[in-house]
Amino acid sequence: MAQSLHSTSCRAGPTEPRRLTFDAGPDPQSTPRFLHLLAELGTDATFFLLGQQAHRFPGLVREIAAAGHEIGIHGWLHRPLVLRGPRATYDDLARARDTVADITGLCPTVFRPP
């Protein structure tokens, strides 16, 4: 039986489609630069975050959310999910989703595979 990636303990974040997307952060070197440039341009983006990186750099995750950008998940680690079983894939995605939700208070609703 398929399970939803939505957790009953978090509320959904923004779901409008974004034109710009970034993968595999947050990164303390590049993410602040992207945030600054996006602010200068007056535009927003979707950041597909790795759960492990979000856990390491929660302040950057909060900055992304506070700037109004959408946050999606890119998995816990950057590994090909098609090589894993359904349960391991679900656990990987749920762990990343829950980490971002714990940091921001918003549940990611979009996913991009690594």
Side-chain angles (χ1 to χ4, degrees):
M1 174 191 331
Q3 295 182 343
S4 168
L5 286 181
H6 292 283
S7 170
T8 58
S9 64
C10 63
R11 61 187 177 88
T15 58
E16 304 95 33
R18 311 296 168 116
R19 288 181 272 169
L20 296 173
T21 63
F22 301 95
D23 291 357
D27 173 75
Q29 296 298 315
S30 62
T31 301
R33 292 177 181 170
F34 287 128
L35 291 173
H36 178 75
L37 180 59
L38 291 166
E40 281 186 352
L41 295 172
T43 192
D44 53 14
T46 300
F47 286 78
F48 290 94
L49 304 182
L50 293 171
Q52 183 184 50
Q53 289 295 99
H55 178 74
R56 287 181 64 200
F57 304 109
L60 287 175
V61 177
R62 285 189 283 276
E63 284 183 50
I64 293 167
H69 301 291
E70 180 178 34
I71 297 177
I73 56 172
H74 199 46
W76 180 257
L77 297 172
H78 204 276
R79 0 175 193 181
L81 299 177
V82 297
L83 302 177
R84 306 176 76 207
R87 185 73 217 173
T89 297
Y90 176 83
D91 290 345
D92 186 88
L93 299 178
R95 185 176 182 194
R97 176 207 59 215
D98 293 347
T99 297
V100 169
D102 287 346
I103 294 168
T104 66
L106 299 173
C107 192
T109 60
V110 291
F111 162 71
R112 179 178 286 168

Coordinates of all heavy atoms in Angstrom, one line a residue, residues 18-111:
R18 N 7.5 27.4 -8.8 CA 8.6 28.4 -8.9 C 9.4 28.1 -10.1 O 9.5 27.0 -10.6 CB 9.5 28.3 -7.6 CG 8.8 28.2 -6.3 CD 8.1 29.5 -6.0 NE 7.2 29.3 -4.9 CZ 7.3 30.0 -3.7 NH1 8.2 30.9 -3.6 NH2 6.5 29.8 -2.8
R19 N 9.9 29.2 -10.7 CA 10.7 29.0 -11.9 C 12.1 28.6 -11.7 O 12.7 27.9 -12.5 CB 10.7 30.3 -12.7 CG 9.3 30.5 -13.4 CD 9.3 31.8 -14.2 NE 8.9 32.8 -13.2 CZ 9.0 34.1 -13.5 NH1 9.4 34.5 -14.6 NH2 8.6 35.0 -12.6
L20 N 12.7 29.1 -10.6 CA 14.1 28.8 -10.3 C 14.1 27.7 -9.2 O 13.4 27.8 -8.2 CB 14.8 30.0 -9.7 CG 15.0 31.2 -10.7 CD1 15.5 32.4 -10.0 CD2 15.9 30.8 -11.9
T21 N 15.0 26.8 -9.4 CA 15.2 25.7 -8.4 C 16.7 25.5 -8.1 O 17.5 25.7 -9.0 CB 14.5 24.4 -8.8 OG1 15.2 23.9 -10.0 CG2 13.0 24.6 -9.1
F22 N 16.9 25.1 -6.9 CA 18.3 24.7 -6.5 C 18.3 23.4 -5.7 O 17.3 23.1 -5.0 CB 18.9 25.8 -5.5 CG 18.9 27.2 -6.1 CD1 17.9 28.1 -5.9 CD2 20.0 27.6 -6.9 CE1 17.9 29.3 -6.5 CE2 20.0 28.8 -7.5 CZ 18.9 29.7 -7.3
D23 N 19.3 22.6 -6.0 CA 19.3 21.2 -5.4 C 20.5 21.1 -4.4 O 21.5 21.6 -4.6 CB 19.4 20.2 -6.5 CG 18.2 20.0 -7.3 OD1 17.2 20.7 -7.1 OD2 18.3 19.2 -8.3
A24 N 20.3 20.2 -3.5 CA 21.3 19.5 -2.7 C 21.9 20.4 -1.6 O 23.0 20.1 -1.0 CB 22.4 19.0 -3.5
G25 N 21.3 21.5 -1.2 CA 21.8 22.3 -0.1 C 21.1 21.9 1.2 O 20.5 20.9 1.2
P26 N 21.2 22.8 2.2 CA 21.8 24.0 2.1 C 23.3 23.9 2.3 O 23.8 23.0 2.9 CB 21.2 24.8 3.3 CG 20.9 23.8 4.3 CD 20.5 22.6 3.5
D27 N 24.0 24.9 1.8 CA 25.5 24.9 1.8 C 25.9 26.3 2.3 O 25.5 27.3 1.8 CB 26.1 24.7 0.4 CG 27.6 24.8 0.4 OD1 28.3 24.0 0.8 OD2 28.0 25.9 -0.1
P28 N 26.8 26.3 3.3 CA 27.1 27.6 3.9 C 27.9 28.5 3.0 O 27.9 29.7 3.2 CB 28.0 27.2 5.2 CG 28.3 25.8 5.0 CD 27.4 25.2 4.1
Q29 N 28.5 28.0 1.9 CA 29.2 28.8 1.0 C 28.3 29.4 -0.1 O 28.3 30.6 -0.4 CB 30.3 28.0 0.3 CG 31.4 27.6 1.2 CD 32.1 28.7 1.9 OE1 32.5 29.7 1.2 NE2 32.3 28.6 3.2
S30 N 27.4 28.6 -0.7 CA 26.6 29.0 -1.8 C 25.2 29.5 -1.4 O 24.7 30.5 -2.1 CB 26.5 27.9 -2.9 OG 25.8 26.8 -2.3
T31 N 24.6 28.9 -0.5 CA 23.2 29.3 -0.2 C 23.0 30.8 0.2 O 22.1 31.4 -0.3 CB 22.6 28.4 1.0 OG1 22.6 27.0 0.5 CG2 21.2 28.8 1.3
P32 N 23.9 31.4 1.1 CA 23.7 32.8 1.3 C 23.9 33.7 0.1 O 23.2 34.7 -0.1 CB 24.8 33.1 2.4 CG 25.1 31.8 3.0 CD 24.9 30.7 1.9
R33 N 24.7 33.2 -0.8 CA 24.9 34.0 -2.1 C 23.7 33.9 -2.9 O 23.2 34.9 -3.5 CB 26.1 33.5 -2.9 CG 27.4 33.7 -2.2 CD 28.6 33.1 -2.9 NE 29.8 33.4 -2.2 CZ 31.0 32.9 -2.5 NH1 31.1 32.0 -3.5 NH2 32.0 33.1 -1.8
F34 N 23.1 32.7 -3.0 CA 21.8 32.6 -3.8 C 20.7 33.4 -3.1 O 20.0 34.1 -3.8 CB 21.4 31.1 -3.9 CG 22.2 30.3 -4.8 CD1 22.7 29.1 -4.4 CD2 22.4 30.7 -6.1 CE1 23.5 28.3 -5.2 CE2 23.2 29.9 -7.0 CZ 23.7 28.7 -6.5
L35 N 20.6 33.4 -1.8 CA 19.6 34.2 -1.1 C 19.7 35.7 -1.4 O 18.8 36.4 -1.6 CB 19.6 33.8 0.4 CG 19.1 32.4 0.7 CD1 19.3 32.2 2.2 CD2 17.7 32.2 0.3
H36 N 21.0 36.1 -1.3 CA 21.3 37.6 -1.6 C 20.9 37.9 -3.0 O 20.2 39.0 -3.2 CB 22.7 37.9 -1.3 CG 23.1 39.3 -1.5 ND1 22.7 40.3 -0.7 CD2 23.8 39.8 -2.6 CE1 23.2 41.4 -1.2 NE2 23.8 41.2 -2.3
L37 N 21.3 37.2 -4.0 CA 21.0 37.4 -5.4 C 19.5 37.4 -5.6 O 18.9 38.3 -6.3 CB 21.7 36.4 -6.3 CG 21.5 36.6 -7.8 CD1 21.9 38.0 -8.2 CD2 22.2 35.6 -8.5
L38 N 18.8 36.4 -5.1 CA 17.3 36.3 -5.2 C 16.6 37.5 -4.6 O 15.7 38.1 -5.2 CB 16.8 35.0 -4.7 CG 17.2 33.8 -5.4 CD1 16.9 32.5 -4.6 CD2 16.5 33.7 -6.8
A39 N 17.1 38.0 -3.5 CA 16.5 39.2 -2.9 C 16.8 40.4 -3.7 O 15.9 41.2 -3.9 CB 17.1 39.4 -1.5
E40 N 18.0 40.6 -4.3 CA 18.2 41.7 -5.2 C 17.3 41.7 -6.4 O 16.9 42.7 -6.9 CB 19.7 41.7 -5.6 CG 20.7 42.2 -4.6 CD 22.1 42.3 -5.2 OE1 22.3 41.8 -6.3 OE2 23.0 42.8 -4.5
L41 N 17.1 40.5 -6.9 CA 16.2 40.3 -8.1 C 14.7 40.4 -7.8 O 13.9 40.5 -8.7 CB 16.5 39.0 -8.8 CG 17.9 38.9 -9.4 CD1 18.1 37.4 -9.9 CD2 18.1 39.9 -10.6
G42 N 14.4 40.3 -6.5 CA 13.0 40.4 -6.1 C 12.2 39.2 -6.6 O 11.1 39.3 -6.9
T43 N 12.9 38.0 -6.6 CA 12.2 36.8 -7.0 C 12.4 35.7 -6.0 O 13.2 35.8 -5.1 CB 12.7 36.3 -8.4 OG1 11.9 35.3 -8.9 CG2 14.2 35.9 -8.3
D44 N 11.6 34.7 -6.1 CA 11.8 33.5 -5.2 C 12.1 32.3 -6.0 O 12.1 32.3 -7.2 CB 10.6 33.4 -4.3 CG 9.3 33.3 -5.1 OD1 9.3 33.1 -6.3 OD2 8.2 33.4 -4.4
A45 N 12.3 31.2 -5.2 CA 12.8 30.0 -5.8 C 12.3 28.8 -4.9 O 11.8 29.0 -3.8 CB 14.3 29.9 -6.0
T46 N 12.5 27.6 -5.5 CA 12.3 26.4 -4.7 C 13.7 25.8 -4.4 O 14.5 25.6 -5.3 CB 11.5 25.4 -5.4 OG1 10.2 26.0 -5.7 CG2 11.3 24.1 -4.6
F47 N 14.0 25.6 -3.1 CA 15.2 24.9 -2.7 C 14.9 23.5 -2.3 O 14.2 23.2 -1.4 CB 15.8 25.6 -1.5 CG 16.5 27.0 -1.8 CD1 15.7 28.1 -2.0 CD2 17.8 27.1 -1.9 CE1 16.2 29.3 -2.3 CE2 18.4 28.3 -2.2 CZ 17.6 29.4 -2.4
F48 N 15.5 22.5 -3.1 CA 15.3 21.1 -2.8 C 16.5 20.7 -1.9 O 17.6 20.6 -2.4 CB 15.2 20.3 -4.1 CG 14.0 20.5 -4.8 CD1 13.9 21.4 -5.8 CD2 12.8 19.7 -4.5 CE1 12.7 21.6 -6.6 CE2 11.6 19.9 -5.2 CZ 11.6 20.9 -6.2
L49 N 16.2 20.5 -0.6 CA 17.2 20.3 0.4 C 17.5 18.8 0.7 O 16.5 18.0 0.7 CB 16.9 21.0 1.7 CG 16.6 22.5 1.5 CD1 16.3 23.1 2.9 CD2 17.7 23.2 0.8
L50 N 18.7 18.5 1.0 CA 19.1 17.2 1.5 C 18.8 17.3 3.0 O 19.2 18.2 3.7 CB 20.5 16.9 1.3 CG 20.9 16.7 -0.2 CD1 22.4 16.5 -0.4 CD2 20.2 15.4 -0.7
G51 N 18.2 16.3 3.6 CA 17.9 16.2 5.0 C 19.1 16.3 5.9 O 19.1 17.0 6.9
Q52 N 20.2 15.6 5.5 CA 21.4 15.6 6.2 C 22.0 17.0 6.3 O 22.5 17.5 7.3 CB 22.4 14.6 5.7 CG 23.7 14.6 6.5 CD 24.7 13.7 5.8 OE1 25.0 13.8 4.7 NE2 25.2 12.7 6.6
Q53 N 22.0 17.8 5.2 CA 22.5 19.1 5.1 C 21.6 20.1 6.0 O 22.1 21.0 6.6 CB 22.6 19.6 3.7 CG 23.7 19.0 2.9 CD 25.1 19.3 3.5 OE1 25.7 18.5 4.2 NE2 25.6 20.5 3.2
A54 N 20.3 19.9 5.9 CA 19.4 20.7 6.6 C 19.6 20.5 8.1 O 19.6 21.5 8.9 CB 17.9 20.3 6.3
H55 N 19.9 19.3 8.5 CA 20.2 19.0 9.9 C 21.5 19.6 10.4 O 21.6 20.1 11.5 CB 20.3 17.4 10.1 CG 20.6 17.0 11.5 ND1 19.7 17.1 12.5 CD2 21.8 16.5 12.0 CE1 20.3 16.6 13.6 NE2 21.6 16.3 13.3
R56 N 22.5 19.7 9.5 CA 23.8 20.3 9.8 C 23.7 21.8 9.8 O 24.4 22.4 10.6 CB 24.8 19.9 8.8 CG 25.3 18.4 8.9 CD 26.3 18.1 7.9 NE 27.5 18.9 8.1 CZ 28.5 19.1 7.1 NH1 28.3 18.6 5.9 NH2 29.5 19.8 7.4
F57 N 22.8 22.4 9.0 CA 22.8 23.9 8.9 C 21.3 24.4 9.0 O 20.8 25.0 8.1 CB 23.3 24.3 7.5 CG 24.7 23.8 7.3 CD1 25.0 22.8 6.4 CD2 25.8 24.3 8.0 CE1 26.3 22.3 6.1 CE2 27.1 23.8 7.8 CZ 27.3 22.8 6.9
P58 N 20.7 24.2 10.2 CA 19.3 24.6 10.4 C 19.1 26.1 10.2 O 18.1 26.5 9.8 CB 19.0 24.1 11.8 CG 20.3 24.0 12.5 CD 21.3 23.6 11.4
G59 N 20.1 26.9 10.6 CA 20.0 28.3 10.4 C 19.8 28.7 9.0 O 19.0 29.6 8.7
L60 N 20.5 28.1 8.1 CA 20.3 28.3 6.6 C 18.9 27.9 6.2 O 18.3 28.6 5.4 CB 21.4 27.6 5.8 CG 22.8 28.2 5.9 CD1 23.7 27.3 5.1 CD2 22.8 29.6 5.4
V61 N 18.4 26.8 6.7 CA 17.0 26.4 6.3 C 16.0 27.4 6.8 O 15.1 27.8 6.0 CB 16.7 25.0 7.0 CG1 15.3 24.6 6.6 CG2 17.7 24.0 6.5
R62 N 16.2 28.0 8.0 CA 15.3 29.0 8.5 C 15.4 30.3 7.7 O 14.4 30.9 7.4 CB 15.6 29.3 10.0 CG 15.1 28.2 10.9 CD 15.1 28.6 12.4 NE 16.5 28.5 12.9 CZ 17.0 27.3 13.4 NH1 16.3 26.2 13.4 NH2 18.2 27.3 13.9
E63 N 16.6 30.6 7.2 CA 16.8 31.8 6.4 C 16.1 31.6 5.0 O 15.4 32.6 4.5 CB 18.3 32.0 6.1 CG 19.0 32.7 7.2 CD 20.5 33.0 6.8 OE1 20.7 33.6 5.7 OE2 21.4 32.5 7.6
I64 N 16.2 30.4 4.4 CA 15.5 30.2 3.2 C 14.0 30.4 3.4 O 13.3 31.0 2.6 CB 15.8 28.7 2.7 CG1 17.3 28.6 2.3 CG2 14.9 28.4 1.5 CD1 17.7 27.2 2.1
A65 N 13.4 29.8 4.4 CA 12.0 29.9 4.7 C 11.6 31.3 5.0 O 10.6 31.8 4.5 CB 11.6 28.9 5.8
A66 N 12.4 32.0 5.8 CA 12.0 33.4 6.2 C 12.0 34.3 5.0 O 11.3 35.3 5.0 CB 13.0 33.9 7.3
A67 N 12.8 34.0 4.0 CA 12.8 34.8 2.8 C 11.7 34.5 1.9 O 11.5 35.2 0.8 CB 14.2 34.6 2.1
G68 N 10.8 33.6 2.2 CA 9.6 33.3 1.4 C 9.8 32.2 0.3 O 8.9 32.1 -0.5
H69 N 11.0 31.6 0.3 CA 11.2 30.6 -0.7 C 10.6 29.3 -0.3 O 10.4 28.9 0.9 CB 12.7 30.4 -0.9 CG 13.4 31.6 -1.3 ND1 13.3 32.2 -2.5 CD2 14.3 32.4 -0.6 CE1 14.0 33.3 -2.5 NE2 14.7 33.4 -1.4
E70 N 10.2 28.5 -1.3 CA 9.6 27.2 -1.1 C 10.7 26.2 -0.8 O 11.8 26.3 -1.4 CB 8.8 26.7 -2.3 CG 8.2 25.3 -2.2 CD 7.4 24.9 -3.4 OE1 7.8 25.3 -4.5 OE2 6.4 24.3 -3.2
I71 N 10.5 25.3 0.1 CA 11.5 24.3 0.4 C 10.9 22.9 0.1 O 9.8 22.5 0.6 CB 11.9 24.3 1.9 CG1 12.6 25.6 2.2 CG2 12.8 23.1 2.2 CD1 13.0 25.8 3.7
G72 N 11.6 22.2 -0.7 CA 11.2 20.8 -1.1 C 12.3 19.9 -0.6 O 13.3 20.3 -0.1
I73 N 12.1 18.6 -0.7 CA 13.1 17.7 -0.2 C 13.8 17.0 -1.4 O 13.2 16.8 -2.5 CB 12.6 16.6 0.8 CG1 11.4 15.9 0.2 CG2 12.2 17.3 2.1 CD1 10.9 14.7 1.1
H74 N 15.0 16.6 -1.2 CA 15.9 16.0 -2.2 C 16.4 14.7 -1.7 O 17.4 14.1 -2.2 CB 17.0 17.0 -2.5 CG 17.7 16.7 -3.8 ND1 17.1 16.5 -5.0 CD2 19.1 16.8 -4.1 CE1 18.0 16.4 -6.0 NE2 19.2 16.5 -5.4
G75 N 15.8 14.2 -0.6 CA 16.2 13.0 0.1 C 17.0 13.3 1.3 O 17.3 14.5 1.6
W76 N 17.4 12.3 2.1 CA 18.3 12.5 3.2 C 19.7 12.7 2.8 O 20.4 13.6 3.2 CB 18.1 11.4 4.2 CG 19.0 11.6 5.5 CD1 20.2 11.0 5.7 CD2 18.7 12.5 6.5 NE1 20.7 11.4 6.9 CE2 19.8 12.4 7.4 CE3 17.7 13.4 6.8 CZ2 19.9 13.2 8.6 CZ3 17.8 14.1 8.0 CH2 18.9 14.0 8.8
L77 N 20.2 11.7 2.0 CA 21.5 11.8 1.4 C 21.3 11.8 -0.1 O 20.3 11.5 -0.6 CB 22.3 10.5 1.8 CG 22.6 10.3 3.2 CD1 23.3 9.0 3.5 CD2 23.6 11.4 3.7
H78 N 22.3 12.2 -0.8 CA 22.3 12.3 -2.3 C 22.6 10.9 -2.9 O 23.7 10.7 -3.4 CB 23.2 13.3 -2.8 CG 22.9 13.9 -4.1 ND1 23.2 13.3 -5.3 CD2 22.1 15.0 -4.4 CE1 22.7 14.0 -6.3 NE2 22.1 15.1 -5.8
R79 N 21.6 10.0 -2.8 CA 21.8 8.7 -3.4 C 20.6 8.3 -4.3 O 19.5 8.8 -4.1 CB 21.9 7.5 -2.4 CG 21.8 7.8 -1.0 CD 21.8 6.6 -0.1 NE 21.4 7.1 1.1 CZ 21.3 6.5 2.2 NH1 21.5 5.2 2.2 NH2 20.9 7.0 3.3
P80 N 20.9 7.5 -5.3 CA 19.8 7.2 -6.2 C 18.8 6.3 -5.6 O 19.0 5.2 -5.1 CB 20.5 6.4 -7.4 CG 21.9 6.2 -6.9 CD 22.2 7.0 -5.7
L81 N 17.6 6.8 -5.4 CA 16.5 6.1 -4.7 C 16.0 4.9 -5.5 O 15.5 4.0 -4.9 CB 15.4 7.1 -4.4 CG 15.7 8.2 -3.5 CD1 14.6 9.2 -3.3 CD2 16.3 7.8 -2.2
V82 N 16.1 4.9 -6.8 CA 15.6 3.7 -7.6 C 16.4 2.5 -7.3 O 15.9 1.4 -7.6 CB 15.7 4.0 -9.1 CG1 14.8 5.2 -9.5 CG2 17.1 4.3 -9.6
L83 N 17.5 2.6 -6.7 CA 18.3 1.4 -6.3 C 18.0 0.8 -5.0 O 18.6 -0.1 -4.5 CB 19.8 1.7 -6.4 CG 20.3 2.2 -7.8 CD1 21.8 2.5 -7.7 CD2 20.1 1.2 -8.9
R84 N 17.0 1.5 -4.3 CA 16.6 1.1 -3.0 C 15.2 0.6 -3.0 O 14.5 0.8 -3.9 CB 16.7 2.3 -2.0 CG 18.1 2.9 -2.1 CD 18.2 4.2 -1.3 NE 18.4 3.7 0.1 CZ 18.0 4.4 1.1 NH1 17.5 5.6 0.9 NH2 18.1 4.0 2.3
G85 N 14.8 -0.1 -2.0 CA 13.5 -0.7 -1.9 C 12.5 0.4 -1.5 O 12.9 1.5 -1.1
P86 N 11.2 0.1 -1.6 CA 10.1 1.1 -1.3 C 10.2 1.6 0.2 O 10.0 2.7 0.4 CB 8.8 0.3 -1.6 CG 9.2 -0.8 -2.5 CD 10.6 -1.1 -2.2
R87 N 10.4 0.7 1.1 CA 10.5 1.1 2.5 C 11.7 2.0 2.8 O 11.5 3.0 3.5 CB 10.5 -0.2 3.4 CG 10.4 0.2 4.9 CD 9.0 0.6 5.2 NE 9.0 1.7 6.2 CZ 8.0 2.3 6.6 NH1 6.8 2.1 6.1 NH2 8.1 3.3 7.4
A88 N 12.8 1.6 2.3 CA 14.0 2.4 2.5 C 13.9 3.8 1.8 O 14.3 4.8 2.4 CB 15.3 1.7 1.9
T89 N 13.2 3.8 0.7 CA 13.0 5.1 0.0 C 12.0 5.9 0.8 O 12.3 7.1 1.0 CB 12.4 4.8 -1.4 OG1 13.4 4.1 -2.2 CG2 12.1 6.1 -2.1
Y90 N 10.9 5.4 1.3 CA 10.0 6.1 2.1 C 10.7 6.6 3.4 O 10.5 7.8 3.7 CB 8.8 5.2 2.5 CG 7.9 6.0 3.4 CD1 6.9 6.9 2.9 CD2 8.0 5.9 4.8 CE1 6.1 7.6 3.7 CE2 7.1 6.6 5.6 CZ 6.2 7.5 5.1 OH 5.4 8.2 6.0
D91 N 11.4 5.8 4.0 CA 12.1 6.2 5.3 C 13.1 7.4 5.0 O 13.2 8.3 5.8 CB 12.9 5.1 5.9 CG 11.9 4.0 6.5 OD1 10.7 4.3 6.7 OD2 12.4 2.9 6.8
D92 N 13.8 7.3 3.9 CA 14.7 8.4 3.5 C 14.0 9.7 3.3 O 14.4 10.8 3.8 CB 15.5 8.0 2.2 CG 16.6 8.9 1.8 OD1 17.7 8.8 2.3 OD2 16.3 9.9 1.0
L93 N 12.9 9.7 2.5 CA 12.1 10.9 2.3 C 11.4 11.4 3.5 O 11.4 12.6 3.7 CB 11.1 10.6 1.2 CG 11.7 10.2 -0.2 CD1 10.6 9.9 -1.2 CD2 12.7 11.2 -0.7
A94 N 10.9 10.5 4.3 CA 10.2 10.9 5.5 C 11.2 11.6 6.5 O 10.8 12.6 7.2 CB 9.5 9.7 6.2
R95 N 12.4 11.0 6.6 CA 13.4 11.6 7.5 C 13.7 13.0 7.1 O 13.8 13.9 7.9 CB 14.6 10.7 7.6 CG 15.6 11.1 8.5 CD 16.8 10.1 8.6 NE 17.8 10.5 9.6 CZ 19.0 10.0 9.6 NH1 19.3 9.0 8.8 NH2 19.8 10.4 10.5
A96 N 13.9 13.2 5.8 CA 14.2 14.5 5.3 C 13.1 15.5 5.5 O 13.2 16.6 6.0 CB 14.6 14.5 3.8
R97 N 11.9 15.0 5.2 CA 10.6 15.9 5.3 C 10.5 16.3 6.8 O 10.3 17.4 7.1 CB 9.4 15.1 4.9 CG 8.1 15.8 5.1 CD 6.9 14.8 5.3 NE 7.1 14.0 6.5 CZ 6.7 12.7 6.5 NH1 6.1 12.2 5.5 NH2 7.0 12.0 7.6
D98 N 10.6 15.3 7.7 CA 10.4 15.6 9.1 C 11.5 16.6 9.7 O 11.2 17.4 10.5 CB 10.4 14.3 9.9 CG 9.2 13.5 9.6 OD1 8.2 14.0 9.0 OD2 9.2 12.3 10.0
T99 N 12.7 16.4 9.2 CA 13.8 17.3 9.6 C 13.5 18.8 9.2 O 13.6 19.7 10.0 CB 15.1 16.9 9.0 OG1 15.4 15.6 9.5 CG2 16.3 17.8 9.4
V100 N 13.1 19.0 7.9 CA 12.8 20.3 7.5 C 11.6 20.8 8.2 O 11.5 22.0 8.6 CB 12.5 20.3 5.9 CG1 11.9 21.6 5.5 CG2 13.8 20.0 5.2
A101 N 10.6 20.0 8.4 CA 9.4 20.4 9.2 C 9.7 20.8 10.6 O 9.2 21.8 11.1 CB 8.3 19.3 9.2
D102 N 10.6 20.1 11.3 CA 11.0 20.4 12.6 C 11.7 21.8 12.7 O 11.5 22.6 13.6 CB 11.9 19.4 13.2 CG 11.2 18.1 13.6 OD1 9.9 18.1 13.6 OD2 11.8 17.1 13.8
I103 N 12.5 22.1 11.6 CA 13.2 23.3 11.6 C 12.4 24.5 11.3 O 12.5 25.6 11.9 CB 14.4 23.2 10.6 CG1 15.4 22.2 11.1 CG2 15.1 24.6 10.4 CD1 16.5 21.8 10.0
T104 N 11.5 24.4 10.3 CA 10.7 25.5 9.8 C 9.3 25.6 10.3 O 8.7 26.6 10.2 CB 10.6 25.5 8.2 OG1 9.9 24.3 7.8 CG2 12.0 25.4 7.6
G105 N 8.7 24.5 10.7 CA 7.3 24.4 11.1 C 6.4 24.2 9.9 O 5.2 24.2 10.1
L106 N 7.0 24.1 8.7 CA 6.2 23.8 7.5 C 6.6 22.5 6.9 O 7.8 22.1 6.9 CB 6.5 24.9 6.5 CG 6.1 26.3 6.9 CD1 6.6 27.3 5.8 CD2 4.6 26.4 7.0
C107 N 5.7 21.7 6.4 CA 5.9 20.4 5.9 C 6.2 20.6 4.3 O 5.3 21.0 3.6 CB 4.7 19.5 6.1 SG 5.1 17.8 5.7
P108 N 7.3 20.2 3.9 CA 7.6 20.2 2.4 C 6.6 19.4 1.7 O 6.2 18.3 2.1 CB 9.0 19.6 2.3 CG 9.6 19.7 3.6 CD 8.5 19.6 4.6
T109 N 6.1 19.9 0.5 CA 5.1 19.1 -0.3 C 5.6 18.8 -1.6 O 4.9 18.1 -2.4 CB 3.8 20.0 -0.4 OG1 4.2 21.2 -1.1 CG2 3.2 20.2 0.9
V110 N 6.9 19.2 -2.0 CA 7.4 18.8 -3.2 C 8.7 18.1 -3.0 O 9.4 18.2 -2.0 CB 7.7 20.1 -4.1 CG1 6.3 20.6 -4.6 CG2 8.5 21.1 -3.4
F111 N 9.1 17.2 -4.0 CA 10.2 16.4 -3.9 C 10.9 16.3 -5.3 O 10.2 16.3 -6.3 CB 9.8 15.0 -3.5 CG 10.8 13.9 -3.8 CD1 11.9 13.8 -3.1 CD2 10.5 13.0 -4.8 CE1 12.9 12.8 -3.4 CE2 11.4 11.9 -5.1 CZ 12.6 11.9 -4.4

